Amino acid sequence: EPAKFLKMWKVIVGMGGMQVGVTGVLIFGGCLAFDFSWQESLAIGLALALSSTAIVLQTLKEKNLLKTSAGQGSFSVLLFQDIAVIPILAILPLLAVHGVEADGRHGGEHTFIENFPAWVQTLAVLAAVALIIGAGRYIIVPLLRLVAKTRLRELFSASALLIVFAIAYLMEMVGLSPALGTFLGGVVLANSEFRHELESDLEPFKGLLLGLFFIAVGASINFQLIGDQPGTIFALVSGIVLLKALVLLAVGRVFRMRFDQNLIFALGLAQVGEFAFVLFSFIGGTSLAQEQTNDSYQADSLA
């Protein structure tokens, strides 16, 4: 909610920006040391800097830690990371050396902007996000008010799902992941006066759909690569988790967390998040990363 965001913006931008920035820079430098191009290094660094919102928030909720300083710090960092996905996806086409290969991104499906220059694609992405936010306020919310007057719970839930699917389709048409569209759809619906009713209606499906999401992204992993190079994958996983934990410990220290809360904060966010799958899928549709490199880091994200 914008009101809550404004109250916490210093913590959100401070903790989240420091974690993403420092982690991204360190991974960027490490990739450069292994002779990756700077474009590929930057894309990998930004993707691996993210953590899992779904897993961390659910774990904190189950253990009743959301109201603690570690829980609030984790929430702030995760919120910043989720918001940061939008500009990250917007700048990736600018990093591509040879432009975006549409066939590699969505299994052969074409987008409206695939033949435009990279800077036009970036503007189209930002325009699509702005359009969704504007439509949410002036079109979607009034539409939900009309549907709510029918007092049909099923129609209300179906309308919300239709809105999410429509936004996801729009994101796909401009060359982005449908997962980003559903995220923006959730933001739009959360800012309406019907958020609590929708939350109660969709709660029974939450766990099922979350599991389906992880099954779907897990099925896209090259497991043969994990079997062929288990040592390399283990070293990558251990190195990235250790690096992120150390950065998070430093961030917690800067924001004066107690040692026990700082440990929970660092260990909880040290993994790589589910949005890394979205980013690496997008990277795979550009000239930013070779197929083997993309598979390696997707396997790392899964681990």
Side-chain angles (χ1 to χ4, degrees):
E1 293 178 81
K4 290 183 179 180
F5 179 83
L6 290 175
K7 290 181 181 179
M8 299 177 60
W9 77 269
K10 290 184 179 179
V11 178
I12 292 171
V13 176
M15 297 187 77
M18 188 180 299
Q19 184 274 324
V20 173
V22 175
T23 305
V25 167
L26 291 175
I27 296 176
F28 171 77
C31 291
L32 286 179
F34 284 95
D35 296 327
F36 288 89
S37 68
W38 73 266
Q39 295 96 334
E40 188 175 1
S41 300
L42 181 58
I44 293 171
L46 291 173
L48 295 183
L50 305 182
S51 304
S52 175
T53 301
I55 292 176
V56 176
L57 289 185
Q58 183 67 25
T59 302
L60 291 173
K61 183 178 179 181
E62 290 174 355
K63 298 185 180 300
N64 200 27
L65 294 173
L66 275 176
K67 299 299 183 181
T68 64
S69 58
Q72 291 297 296
S74 299
F75 175 81
S76 299
V77 172
L78 291 169
L79 181 56
F80 180 88
Q81 291 178 355
D82 287 346
I83 295 173
V85 169
I86 297 172
I88 289 173
L89 285 170
I91 67 172
L92 284 179
L94 294 176
L95 299 177
V97 179
H98 302 297
V100 176
E101 299 172 5
D103 289 345
R105 183 189 302 161
H106 294 300
E109 296 181 9
H110 296 283
T111 66
F112 290 137
I113 63 172
E114 63 185 46
N115 295 320
F116 290 99
W119 68 270
V120 175
Q121 295 183 32
T122 298
L123 290 178
V125 169
L126 297 176
V129 173
L131 176 64
I132 290 171
I133 295 174
R137 182 172 182 178
Y138 298 107
I139 298 177
I140 294 176
V141 172
L143 176 64
L144 287 176
R145 291 195 186 107
L146 291 176
V147 175
K149 290 180 180 179
T150 65
R151 300 186 181 277
L152 295 175
R153 183 176 180 180
E154 294 81 3
L155 181 60
F156 192 70
S157 300
S159 299
L161 291 174
L162 176 62
I163 291 169
V164 172
F165 277 113
I167 295 175
Y169 181 72
L170 174 62
M171 287 291 99
E172 191 170 18
M173 286 298 96
V174 297
L176 294 182
S177 166
L180 178 62
T182 61
F183 170 73
L184 289 175
V187 171
V188 168
L189 294 175
N191 289 324
S192 71
E193 63 262 38
F194 306 105
R195 56 168 299 173
H196 297 295
E197 184 176 353
L198 286 168
E199 191 173 6
S200 62
D201 288 346
L202 300 178
E203 184 65 28
F205 304 101
K206 187 176 180 180
L208 177 64
L209 294 176
L210 187 62
L212 182 62
F213 170 78
F214 282 110
I215 291 172
V217 295
S220 67
I221 297 299
N222 184 354
F223 290 97
Q224 182 65 40
L225 181 66
I226 300 177
D228 293 340
Q229 303 180 31
T232 302
I233 299 298
F234 178 79
L236 282 171
V237 172
S238 302
I240 291 172
V241 169
L242 178 61
L243 174 66
K244 293 184 71 173
L246 292 175
V247 172
L248 287 161
L249 283 172
V251 171
R253 185 71 179 271
V254 170
F255 283 83
R256 299 180 180 180
M257 282 189 182
R258 296 200 319 266
F259 180 71
D260 59 333
Q261 295 295 305
N262 201 3
L263 280 179
I264 296 173
F265 172 70
L267 294 177
L269 296 174
Q271 28 59 34
V272 180
E274 63 273 3
F275 258 127
F277 291 107
V278 176
L279 292 176
F280 279 116
S281 175
F282 191 79
I283 291 170
T286 71
S287 59
L288 282 173
Q290 299 176 3
E291 182 178 355
Q292 185 176 7
T293 301
N294 196 48
D295 286 343
S296 296
Y297 281 104
Q298 281 204 345
D300 173 48
S301 299
L302 177 65

